[in-house]
Amino acid sequence: MMNYCEIKYFDVANGPGVRTSLFVSGCTHHCKGCFNEMAWDFNSGKEYTTDVEGEIISSLSPSYITGLTILGGEPMEVRNQEAVGGLVKSIRRELPDKTIWIFSGYTFEELLDNTNKKCHGAYTLEILQNIDVLVDGKFDIQLKNLSLKFRGSSNQRIIDVKKTLAAGEIVLAME
């Protein structure tokens, strides 16, 4: 079971174009200066249900909606991955032209490390194979930079996941 704190429809701040953004609950990073501390508690917000998933998918249907962004909290905490994985697979099946972005405090390398049980689980690879972009890395208040597009600190990367998986090395989607 996963909870979520908020769903923003018509969001223009968390990825390119007009998007739906799902803010999941639960994060163990507890980054100093986090913009969303209320989402650290796995029990905060409301229960994520199949009805909620249906509403998210419906919100993506209009042609002017570019895609979905999943952030938090931490979408890639192992206990959130089953629900996140189900959602991204449903979107890929029903709306294959929509882009899917995930913001995670875990790095791409950590997510691929099958010995890292904090973030690598049964659904990790499936999620990565079904998304377009991963914004990775913990927010670092010492590296905070308000001029960066779609990231809070300069250590975070905007990764083109499909190209990265194909190349076997990190391919950035944008600087």
Side-chain angles (χ1 to χ4, degrees), residues 125-136:
L125 292 177
E126 185 175 65
I127 292 168
L128 292 173
Q129 291 165 348
N130 281 289
I131 67 171
D132 299 289
V133 170
L134 176 73
V135 180
D136 80 337

Side-chain angles (χ1 to χ4, degrees), residues 30-159:
H30 297 188
C31 301
K32 183 177 181 181
C34 175
F35 82 101
N36 201 11
E37 283 187 32
M38 70 177 234
W40 288 357
D41 183 350
F42 284 92
N43 297 310
S44 66
K46 301 174 187 166
E47 184 179 348
Y48 181 82
T49 64
T50 55
D51 288 344
V52 171
E53 184 169 298
E55 290 169 16
I56 291 169
I57 292 170
S58 291
S59 78
L60 298 171
S61 295
S63 60
Y64 58 85
I65 301 296
T66 306
L68 174 73
T69 297
I70 307 170
L71 58 171
E74 175 56 75
M76 297 306 288
E77 294 281 0
V78 168
R79 65 191 278 186
N80 287 335
Q81 287 187 25
E82 182 175 6
V84 169
L87 175 60
V88 298
K89 277 179 48 184
S90 293
I91 292 166
R92 273 292 161 250
R93 184 176 56 250
E94 296 179 37
L95 299 162
D97 295 334
K98 302 297 179 173
T99 61
I100 303 171
W101 281 43
I102 289 182
F103 284 71
S104 176
Y106 294 107
T107 64
F108 190 81
E109 293 83 359
E110 288 172 318
L111 291 167
L112 289 180
D113 179 358
N114 62 5
T115 65
N116 187 340
K117 300 305 177 197
K118 284 192 71 161
C119 64
H120 187 91
Y123 302 94
T124 309
L125 292 177
E126 185 175 65
I127 292 168
L128 292 173
Q129 291 165 348
N130 281 289
I131 67 171
D132 299 289
V133 170
L134 176 73
V135 180
D136 80 337
K138 295 177 188 175
F139 172 72
D140 184 337
I141 198 161
Q142 301 299 321
L143 300 174
K144 181 177 180 176
N145 183 339
L146 297 176
S147 69
L148 296 171
K149 196 169 192 173
F150 308 129
R151 346 178 243 160
S153 58
S154 60
N155 61 301
Q156 297 170 311
R157 303 175 293 183
I158 302 173
I159 298 171

